Amino acid sequence: TRSTRPQRLLKAVQEKAMKGDPQSVISTIDYFCRHSEWAMNVGDEKGSILDSVVCEVSPTTALELGTYCGYSTVRIARLLPPGTQLITLEFNPAFAAVARQVIEYAGLHNKVCLVEGASGDMIPKMREMFGIKTFDFVFLDHWKDRYLPDIKLLEGCQLLRKGSILLADNVICPGTPEYLEYVRNSPHYKSMYYKSHLEYTKVEDGLEKSVFLG
Ligand SMILES: O=C(CSCCNC(=O)c1cc(-c2ccc(F)cc2)cc(O)c1O)c1ccc(O)c(O)c1
Ligand SMILES: [Mg+2]
């Protein structure tokens, strides 16, 4: 049967990237998505903004919602010091299977814990599963209509603390209107928009960074 796009992306990584070298995994995926097949990774342009926010926050506990092929997982984990933990949640088992191999190929499996499941089910289990008190950093990149319910769930489960940083992908394209309206108008968040482009295209998109004020 025909291979899937994530499988073809993984093959490109295994054939062209340097094993154990996160930057070469990132560059290989970006090249594949620009020159072979577009894929919904955060990409290099928004990825640089993601890098700068991760470096600024230097989180000890981080959560990613929506792993896909593991591209942003590798981007985040490569910047985390030893002893820190990135938990990444993926709903789709086929995506998760590819992501595990991309993360492993980059040599970052000791910093990342990939959990398969729906965010709505898994977020309430985070504390008991991982001994997490609160998340310093959350990257939202999963189903766009899950962004708002999931941050309300994070608040409800006391998994955010004063100063926790949320960074949301695709707030323009495909768009997350309810989420944007909430974080930009809620007294519990201070929000700012980083204008950019949809990965590998000239279409406008951007990242929204929101600080939880408690
Ligand atoms: O990860 C998933 C599956 S949905 C993939 C989300 N991402 C997108 O849909 C996505 C889409 C586009 C895009 C596609 C076509 C266009 F024409 C334009 C833009 C770009 C992106 O950057 C994206 O991130 C998940 C679901 C539930 C869970 O509870 C969970 O934990 C995870
Ligand atoms: Mg995205």
Side-chain angles (χ1 to χ4, degrees):
T1 53
R2 199 170 130 66
S3 67
T4 65
R5 182 167 307 185
Q7 284 168 334
R8 293 192 293 272
L9 181 150
L10 171 63
K11 187 165 173 284
V13 167
Q14 291 167 332
E15 287 177 352
K16 298 184 175 64
M18 206 101 64
K19 195 160 174 42
D21 178 347
Q23 191 50 58
S24 98
V25 168
I26 291 164
S27 308
T28 301
I29 293 173
D30 285 331
Y31 188 90
F32 175 84
C33 293
R34 275 191 190 286
H35 302 286
S36 302
E37 303 185 61
W38 185 92
M40 59 182 170
N41 315 118
V42 73
D44 45 358
E45 192 180 315
K46 289 186 288 179
S48 303
I49 300 167
L50 169 63
D51 289 357
S52 63
V53 174
V54 171
C55 288
E56 179 195 328
V57 177
S58 59
T60 48
T61 53
L63 173 65
E64 176 181 58
L65 301 175
T67 317
Y68 187 43
C69 294
Y71 173 90
S72 48
T73 321
V74 168
R75 285 203 83 110
I76 297 166
R78 87 192 199 285
L79 299 173
L80 296 181
T84 56
Q85 207 180 3
L86 171 60
I87 296 164
T88 183
L89 214 43
E90 180 47 60
F91 176 75
N92 180 315
F95 294 172
V98 165
R100 283 189 204 288
Q101 296 173 79
V102 168
I103 293 159
E104 152 88 32
Y105 196 87
L108 294 167
H109 42 288
N110 296 329
K111 288 190 179 164
V112 177
C113 181
L114 195 160
V115 180
E116 280 184 54
S119 45
D121 303 335
M122 303 312 291
I123 285 171
K125 296 177 182 154
M126 287 285 154
R127 188 165 281 110
E128 72 189 90
M129 282 172 76
F130 299 101
I132 295 280
K133 201 173 159 312
T134 55
F135 287 110
D136 303 324
F137 177 77
V138 182
F139 182 53
L140 297 99
D141 194 21
H142 60 328
W143 272 329
K144 309 314 160 193
D145 60 3
R146 286 294 321 174
Y147 285 23
L148 183 52
D150 285 344
I151 65 161
K152 289 186 170 170
L153 197 50
L154 286 164
E155 286 176 38
C157 298
Q158 271 90 38
L159 285 165
L160 301 180
R161 56 146 173 94
K162 213 184 282 289
S164 289
I165 302 289
L166 307 178
L167 188 66
D169 189 26
N170 310 117
V171 296
I172 305 298
C173 176
T176 62
E178 300 85 7
Y179 174 81
L180 271 192
E181 202 274 332
Y182 181 77
V183 290
R184 291 179 174 174
N185 298 301
S186 162
H188 300 291
Y189 291 94
K190 174 93 187 73
S191 229
M192 67 182 287
Y193 175 60
Y194 293 82
K195 185 175 160 67
S196 184
H197 296 93
L198 176 68
E199 47 269 25
Y200 317 114
T201 77
K202 293 188 166 51
V203 174
E204 183 180 344
D205 189 21
L207 301 170
E208 187 82 1
K209 182 176 88 168
S210 308
V211 187
F212 184 58
L213 303 173

